[in-house]
Each structure stands twice: as structure tokens, then as C-alpha cells.
Amino acid sequence: MRLLHTSDWHLGRSFHRVSLLDAQRAFLDHLVATVEERAVDAVLVSGDIYDRAVPSLAAVEMFDRTLSRLADLGVPTVMISGNHDSARRLGVGAKLLGRAGIHLRTDPRECGTPVLLEPADGGGPVAVYGVPYLEPSLVRETLGAERGGHTAVLRAATDRIRADLAGRPAGTRSVVLAHAFVTGAEVCDSERDITVGGVASVPASVFEGIDYVALGHLHNCQTLSERIRYSGTPIAYSFSEAGHPKSMWLVDLGPAGEPAAERLLCPVPRPLARLRGRLAELLEDPALEQHADSWVEATLTDAARPHDPMARLAARFPHTVSLVLAPDREEDGDARSYAVRLSGRTDRQIAEDFVGHVRPGQQAAPEEREMLGQALEAVRVAEAEPDASAAPGTARTPADGRRPSRNGARAVAR
């Protein structure tokens, strides 16, 4: 039995406000082509089909087109909802789609009801169970979990699966789709946190007795064991995924349930590059020419913010989408408290020092110092004038937010 394991399509997602619809469409074309070329018996999609609970029309149309193409090929597809999906919306029409070989598993109550696949390899039937993303506070009672938390509810779901398997004929092979953070896996910046409701990670032992576990949620392709794998996203969704080859797993499930997996790389819409250095270095270094067509995240280490850095970077790297300012500064080693360092300095001196702090190497210019002085003087004048809007005899709160004392003098914290 040959299975194609993929997950986390996040249809409709953008990359730093750049649409990825064309890249996602190219991936789905690649997926359908792979199903045909590699004689895949079933497709497994382990959650986060969409990027949001209410997806865009373009994302829904892309999803619909892909399901139709897979149904036309006569290849069964099993899909679960992830933490980005709306389980109820995704599950609409599930029974009807099931007649076409598209099996949506979005209801936790159906965890123990498998999709049964009859293989042509001489082995026993393959029972494919779908465990959608389980929010502990919402499904604990439904699954009869003894306590809250991700581990408890997922174990309750897999207990149902093991109970169902125990009643099936000997030789039945088992596959579980799940959307969760399993202990030992590595995370990326582009994954939504699922810690609400308890500790996020669950031990791999909850899947004991299952022949192959097709995981979703984490965006990096990973092998936790020969029988437990993450496929990761088919496209990079953050710069933290730079250097992560995107792929799917082609899994041959042997007659006794032993999995043999081959990693299939996905097309790369545009490579990612994380560049770091002074602006002049990034603009002049000939070795960086290889990134001219990449999506670029540039971290500038100039001591002072350069003039119009984004436009200057875009002239050389047209697909620069992220700019980070991280100036290289020498620590002054001054361990005194902030209050002590300000002691004895005027408001104007403090304001001028602040300009120099956030703009190293470029202190406040004479005209800027003059403007700061004018602004501070305007505040003092405003504080001294009576508030025309206040009722007679009402104390007025100064512009700096500090209450006057009973004798009218400003109370200053020492």
C-alpha cells in the first residue's frame, strides 16, 4: 500500500504580505502529478488545509479543484482539520464527499471510525484513522478524557483507535493522521502556538501500536521514528524555514505494516535568503548576487540607521520583504540605575541624550536641539496656564501625568 503523506498547506496564506496563491497552486499541481506518476494508492493530509477559519474564495476554489482532480483519478484521500481550520466548516458535506473517495475527518467523535482501504499487495486491509486537532477544553468530555491537557485528550482518542483495531481481523494494518506537537520535534516561527489548554507537546507513546503515524502542525519535515513522521509545509511560510527543504513522504506500507518512507522534494517558488551586515556591504558584496531573485530578510548592523534602506536594498534585491535593524554597539558597562544616571540632568539634556542613544554616532543636530527646547518650553507654559475647561477650584493634572500636591507644588518622586 503506497501512501502520500502531506500536511499544512495553509491555503490562502501570504508571505510578508506577498500572495502565495500561485505558489500553492503549483504545489497542488505537483501533488496531483506525483499521485499519477508514483502510482499512489491513497493521499493523507494531516491538517491545516487552510490558513484561517474563514478562508478566501480563491483558497476554497483551489481546494475544490484539487479534490475534484484526486477524485477523478480514483485515489482515496483522507484529510483532517488542523488548528488553523474551522473544523465545522471544513467538515460540511463530508458524507457526500466520502462517496467520491474524499474522506474528511473533522469530528473528534469519529476518531475510532476508520477509512478502510483494500490493497492489492496481498496484505491485510489498511485502517486509516483521522484525529483532527483536539482543543482540550472543548473535547475532553466528548472523548471521556480523565483530565485536561493535550496528552490526555490525544491518548483518549488513540485509545478508541486501539479498541477498534482490537476487534478487526488479524493482519489489519493501521495508519493514524494527527495534528499535534509531539515531544522531540523542532518548531518554527510560522506555527501558531497551541499551548492554550495545557502543555502543548505530547509524548510519542500515545501512538503505541500504530503502524504509521502521519503528523501535521510543525512546519519542518521530521522523522521522530521510522513509523512517526512530520511532512512539514510544502512551501516556506517564514524566514525561520530558510534552509528547510520542503517535501512530502511517499510511504510504502509493507504486508506486515512495516513502513518504508521516501522523501519527495516540492517545487521551490522562490528561495529564501537571510542577509546580515552593514548596508554598504550588502549592496556591494559580489557574492550576494546569487540572492538577487530570492525573498530577502536583511538585518542591518549599521551603528546609525541608514537613509532609505528598504528602497536601496530593493534596487539590488527586488524581493526584499523584511528589514531588521540590529546595530552593532559596544556596551558602555554603566551598571548604575536609570534614576541615578539621570540625576542632576535637565529635561532638555535627557531628551538630547535619548536622540543620541537611538541614533548612535549621530547626536541631535543644533536645529533638533532647538526644536526639543521649544517643545519642552511649550509643555511648561501649558502646565502653568489654568485649564479653562476645568471647574473653578478644581485641581489640574499636569501634562506629564503627575498630580499636584495640596499646596499646588508638583509632587516629585525621589
Side-chain angles (χ1 to χ4, degrees), residues 381-392:
V381 170
E383 289 181 353
E385 293 177 347
D387 190 345
S389 63

Side-chain angles (χ1 to χ4, degrees), residues 101-354:
I102 306 297
H103 305 279
L104 293 170
R105 291 292 186 264
T106 62
D107 189 342
R109 294 172 296 184
E110 298 179 353
C111 289
T113 303
V115 176
L116 291 175
L117 305 177
E118 295 294 337
D121 62 0
V126 177
V128 181
Y129 300 87
V131 181
Y133 169 67
L134 303 175
E135 180 58 50
S137 61
L138 300 179
V139 303
R140 177 184 174 183
E141 292 185 4
T142 299
L143 294 175
E146 295 181 359
R147 62 181 67 86
H150 288 276
T151 298
V153 297
L154 189 53
R155 192 179 297 280
T158 52
D159 283 346
R160 292 190 176 197
I161 292 171
R162 282 184 283 268
D164 181 81
L165 277 172
R168 296 197 174 273
T172 298
R173 293 171 284 180
S174 57
V175 174
V176 168
L177 284 73
H179 196 85
F181 176 18
V182 178
T183 304
E186 298 179 357
V187 301
C188 297
D189 291 345
S190 53
E191 296 140 3
R192 181 178 294 170
D193 182 30
I194 59 172
T195 56
V196 176
V199 177
S201 63
V202 301
S205 61
V206 299
F207 300 109
E208 183 178 357
I210 307 302
D211 292 321
Y212 183 73
V213 181
L215 293 175
H217 178 57
L218 300 187
H219 289 188
N220 187 13
C221 178
Q222 301 176 62
T223 299
L224 302 187
S225 73
E226 286 303 309
R227 64 183 187 88
I228 304 177
R229 299 174 186 269
Y230 282 98
S231 68
T233 58
I235 300 170
Y237 290 121
S238 77
F239 279 102
S240 67
E241 298 170 60
H244 294 177
K246 296 302 178 179
S247 56
M248 302 178 287
W249 288 112
L250 188 68
V251 180
D252 286 316
L253 203 61
E258 66 280 12
E262 177 186 354
R263 190 174 181 182
L264 305 180
L265 296 180
C266 296
V268 179
R270 193 179 298 283
L272 306 184
R274 305 183 92 169
L275 309 182
R276 183 184 182 92
R278 298 180 183 276
L279 179 60
E281 297 169 350
L282 301 186
L283 297 178
E284 297 169 6
D285 187 349
L288 300 182
E289 190 59 32
Q290 61 178 314
H291 301 303
D293 197 42
S294 301
W295 272 316
V296 169
E297 177 188 71
T299 299
L300 300 185
T301 60
D302 301 73
R305 181 189 177 101
H307 172 69
D308 205 6
M310 195 66 168
R312 294 166 69 184
L313 283 165
R316 185 179 189 190
F317 308 106
H319 304 287
T320 302
V321 293
S322 176
L323 178 63
V324 179
L325 300 177
D328 287 335
R329 298 174 181 171
E330 294 183 1
E331 297 295 333
D332 58 14
D334 193 342
R336 296 177 300 163
S337 70
Y338 183 68
V340 170
R341 280 182 281 148
L342 296 187
S343 178
R345 302 186 67 76
T346 66
D347 289 345
R348 179 165 176 168
Q349 288 173 325
I350 293 171
E352 291 175 1
D353 288 348
F354 177 76

